Amino acid sequence: MRRNIGSGSPWEASVGYSRVVRVGNVVHVAGTTATVDGEVVGVDDAYEQTRVVLGIIRGALEEAGATLDNVVRTRIFVTDISRWEEVGRAHGEVFGAIRPAATMVQVAALIDPQHLVEIEVEAIIS
């Protein structure tokens, strides 16, 4: 059984995606940025953006019936890999004990030039 969960973003309908898709016990959270109420939080602060992103993801997981403990993979997209330690520190504060499989890659750009990081996750509810 598939359950799509939206965030209310105006882009979901026009682009054709959901913030979260749960199929059975598997939860996929779409790429998430530090955008709250249409505003980028933590401009020029990769640590703060990562912290905010992971908070948004935590809420999305909870809405799907999952927790951060259920996360098995994270994919982290950054616009400046030289800032990996800032991003990694925030990621480690959340996932240090959980230790999902993780990837961090530099990309040319994200949808808003103020975005420094975007994260997507996969979780399995056991």
Side-chain angles (χ1 to χ4, degrees):
M1 184 156 153
R2 178 187 176 119
R3 180 176 167 213
N4 292 349
I5 301 169
S7 68
S9 164
W11 302 299
E12 288 175 341
S14 62
V15 175
Y17 77 96
S18 297
R19 166 65 52 219
V20 180
V21 176
R22 178 174 175 174
V23 179
N25 67 336
V26 178
V27 179
H28 300 274
V29 179
T32 304
T33 62
T35 303
V36 177
D37 297 327
E39 299 294 324
V40 177
V41 178
V43 174
D44 201 36
D45 186 337
Y47 170 82
E48 179 64 10
Q49 283 196 20
T50 305
R51 195 188 67 70
V52 168
V53 166
L54 293 173
I56 294 168
I57 287 171
R58 178 189 322 242
L61 288 167
E62 289 171 357
E63 193 168 350
T67 68
L68 291 169
D69 288 332
N70 300 125
V71 173
V72 296
R73 167 169 285 291
T74 63
R75 290 182 187 87
I76 307 164
F77 306 95
V78 297
T79 57
D80 182 353
I81 200 70
S82 73
R83 300 181 76 174
W84 72 268
E85 289 178 277
E86 297 169 69
V87 175
R89 179 167 49 98
H91 186 275
E93 289 171 3
V94 171
F95 290 113
I98 301 164
R99 299 187 59 172
T103 301
M104 184 186 306
V105 297
Q106 179 172 308
V107 295
L110 295 170
I111 201 156
D112 184 310
Q114 293 180 317
H115 290 149
L116 304 175
V117 61
E118 182 169 328
I119 301 173
E120 59 183 40
V121 305
E122 297 171 9
I124 300 175
I125 302 169
S126 49

